[in-house]
Amino acid sequence: MNVADSELMAQVLDEEYDLTVQAEDADLYLINTCAIRRKSEEKVKSLLGSLKFLKQKRPQLILGVGGCVAQQEGERLLASAPHLNLVFGTKGIYRLPGLVDRAVRGERVVDVALERDFPDPPHRSWSQGTVQTMVTIMCGCDNFCTFCVVPYVRGRETSREPGAIVDEIAAFVAAGGQEVTLLGQNVNSYGRGLPEPITFPQLLRRLNGLPGLNRLRFATSHPRDLSPALINAFGELSALCEHLHLPVQSGANRVLKRMNRGYTREHYLGKVAALRQACPGIALSTDLIVGFPGETEADFRQTLDLMREAGFDQAFSFKYSPRPQTRAATFPDQVPEDVKTDRLTRLQALQDELTQKAHARLVGQEQEVLVEGRSKRSPQELGGRLRTNQVVNFIGPRELVGRLARVSITEAHPHSLKGRWVQGSSTG
Ligand code: SF4
């Protein structure tokens, strides 16, 4: 979502500013921030410190901080950094041109208003050859998991009008786009509060009918709100990719309860089983927190067991870090840092094993790849993703970039796959 928000910042400022890759050339330098963990927040503060020198060299430079840390810190951030001109929160992006104007005129500006509506995004156009895009369909969250800062920095859940979403995606496909990722903190509850009654699976069905849209993805889903209709959509909608990111956070009921997640491990595993029945080839990824307050070794082992049982293809795992305003930050039984580190290492070793097994199962299969460009590891190779979201590198002609190609998977690596292009196969 932060990547999508950064793109949005560039779009709303498009008439006044061009993007530059050289920080030294910039007249306006905006830092988009994440507050989900303490580490990312610390990085912002250290970057801000290092930018003092740039500002000393170019005093006319307008320096701004936006996003979740800005939302959380507001005036405090401005007070802590005298060289900072502008602080804007998660909804302030839409008001950026006016805020930047005020900063250019010499005002030190703070805008952290969190109004409830979903502002109209600017008209988007896509450059030649753009085949993937992200579209925000809702923002905010009403769940209040006890570890999470999102409801405080993104506000309450708000959904965007379905007609505007369909029109934006239709325009993207008409311009040659192939793959769309729908974004929101909890897309499963999309539609609540809209004048036109619509559920998330109904929105997916409308989008699935758009001719030329080959791949549809979404993130993120709350397991409690994963409805049977959404599970069935994976077996029914041809554009919907066979991959779901379904954050479980912990495998122990005691911990899930204290996290206020609203489901048990049995519920979660029941949904995994239903997904595998509706769509046998589906790949699952998840988020996991280790060292949540009060987590015992036995709780942690239940998480490892759940990972094995669910057979995750990929997991994003983090040590718990207390966030301001959240309930879990006040829990007295915080877990020592060395215990968290040890658990994270063990958990990641298990996930590496599971990922390797999932990759090995693909060897020998012929799969569809959306070719994204030159491979990051080797410029002689092309790289792209399967519908199930794994990265595949293979040798093939440059003309395949932006197209769908058939690739036979030949090798499984820890973070990617290697394949052989099935000559002549490409569409799109
Ligand atoms: S559902 Fe997700 S975004 Fe909402 S509070 Fe829980 S972890 Fe945070």
Side-chain angles (χ1 to χ4, degrees):
M1 184 157 269
N2 274 15
V3 174
D5 280 352
S6 298
E7 283 177 10
L8 185 60
M9 290 177 200
Q11 282 159 25
V12 296
L13 292 166
D14 186 45
E15 285 190 9
E16 303 285 333
Y17 291 90
D18 293 322
L19 287 168
T20 173
V21 287
Q22 289 294 344
E24 292 73 24
D25 294 344
D27 299 309
L28 170 66
Y29 192 124
L30 299 179
I31 307 170
N32 192 14
T33 62
C34 172
I36 204 84
R37 283 176 291 148
R38 193 165 47 201
K39 201 167 168 189
S40 39
E41 194 180 321
E42 282 161 4
K43 276 189 193 168
V44 176
K45 293 191 174 150
S46 109
L47 174 60
L48 208 48
S50 66
L51 286 172
K52 252 189 220 156
F53 302 100
L54 195 59
K55 184 86 180 179
Q56 274 161 5
K57 271 203 273 176
R58 305 192 59 203
Q60 77 281 17
L61 171 74
I62 301 296
L63 186 56
V65 176
C68 294
V69 174
Q71 186 70 47
Q72 183 184 288
E73 298 296 310
E75 291 279 358
R76 281 194 299 271
L77 198 56
L78 206 64
S80 70
H83 58 301
L84 187 59
N85 305 90
L86 166 64
V87 174
F88 59 102
T90 50
K91 294 274 172 91
I93 300 176
Y94 298 89
R95 297 183 285 272
L96 254 183
L99 301 177
V100 170
D101 274 355
R102 282 165 54 195
V104 169
R105 288 200 301 270
E107 196 183 329
R108 296 189 79 212
V109 184
V110 178
D111 180 344
V112 288
L114 253 190
E115 70 281 13
R116 240 205 124 137
D117 61 325
F118 196 107
D120 272 342
H123 177 74
R124 290 176 79 178
S125 55
W126 289 272
S127 52
Q128 182 81 24
T130 305
V131 289
Q132 294 166 303
T133 198
M134 291 176 279
V135 174
T136 302
I137 62 164
M138 55 94 62
C139 57
C141 184
D142 290 353
N143 281 318
F144 292 94
C145 301
T146 55
F147 55 83
C148 182
V149 74
V150 164
Y152 307 100
V153 291
R154 293 260 178 197
R156 309 303 294 268
E157 262 175 37
T158 329
S159 294
R160 189 176 165 202
E161 291 284 340
I165 298 170
V166 174
D167 288 352
E168 183 174 331
I169 295 176
F172 171 67
V173 176
Q178 306 239 21
E179 179 178 300
V180 173
T181 303
L182 307 175
L183 295 179
Q185 267 76 34
N186 182 18
V187 291
N188 300 6
S189 60
Y190 170 81
R192 278 184 207 155
L194 279 176
E196 176 191 347
I198 182 166
T199 63
F200 183 54
Q202 286 166 342
L203 176 71
L204 290 177
R205 273 173 208 280
R206 276 175 73 172
L207 295 172
N208 190 61
L210 287 175
L213 178 63
N214 288 317
R215 291 181 168 202
L216 191 53
R217 303 183 187 276
F218 59 84
T220 291
S221 292
H222 192 296
R224 191 194 49 210
D225 300 326
L226 183 68
S227 63
L230 184 52
I231 291 173
N232 290 336
F234 280 98
E236 293 166 3
L237 305 184
S238 57
L240 188 59
C241 289
E242 296 78 15
H243 168 236
L244 177 64
H245 184 69
L246 194 62
V248 65
Q249 309 298 4
S250 168
N253 285 339
R254 214 177 60 81
V255 176
L256 288 171
K257 190 154 190 226
R258 291 187 93 204
M259 286 177 163
N260 191 32
R261 290 292 286 173
Y263 55 85
T264 60
R265 66 179 278 135
E266 293 76 18
H267 272 124
Y268 185 91
L269 288 169
K271 295 207 174 180
V272 167
L275 281 161
R276 296 215 186 275
Q277 192 169 20
C279 181
I282 197 164
L284 295 174
S285 54
T286 198
D287 293 335
L288 293 156
I289 295 173
V290 298
F292 184 78
E295 183 193 66
T296 62
E297 175 63 23
D299 294 329
F300 172 66
R301 287 191 185 181
Q302 290 205 21
T303 300
L304 299 181
D305 283 349
L306 180 136
M307 290 167 69
R308 285 189 203 97
E309 203 167 331
F312 294 122
D313 294 70
Q314 204 186 359
F316 301 91
S317 45
F318 309 99
K319 291 191 271 188
Y320 169 77
S321 64
R323 307 310 299 128
Q325 300 179 71
T326 60
R327 273 182 49 214
T330 65
F331 291 173
D333 42 2
Q334 301 288 325
V335 173
E337 207 51 34
D338 58 335
V339 175
K340 289 187 205 171
T341 305
D342 170 64
R343 289 182 189 165
L344 188 65
T345 310
R346 286 155 64 199
L347 184 147
Q348 289 182 339
L350 171 61
Q351 187 53 50
D352 287 349
E353 234 177 77
L354 294 173
T355 303
Q356 185 73 35
K357 272 192 198 151
H359 282 180
R361 279 196 294 273
L362 290 164
V363 172
Q365 294 186 23
E366 190 181 301
Q367 292 273 346
E368 177 199 277
V369 177
L370 177 58
V371 186
E372 293 173 1
R374 289 271 168 228
S375 148
K376 284 193 186 119
R377 284 187 352 187
S378 141
Q380 287 81 43
E381 291 181 325
L382 298 175
R385 274 177 198 269
L386 302 184
R387 285 177 64 92
T388 40
N389 211 33
Q390 293 87 355
V391 172
V392 184
N393 298 308
F394 64 99
I395 306 267
R398 172 102 201 130
E399 299 72 62
L400 289 181
V401 174
R403 301 168 82 98
L404 296 171
R406 303 291 304 172
V407 170
S408 171
I409 308 299
T410 53
E411 285 173 40
H413 297 287
H415 302 291
S416 63
L417 299 160
K418 201 161 179 152
R420 192 175 48 247
W421 178 46
V422 179
Q423 295 261 347
S425 70
S426 84
T427 51

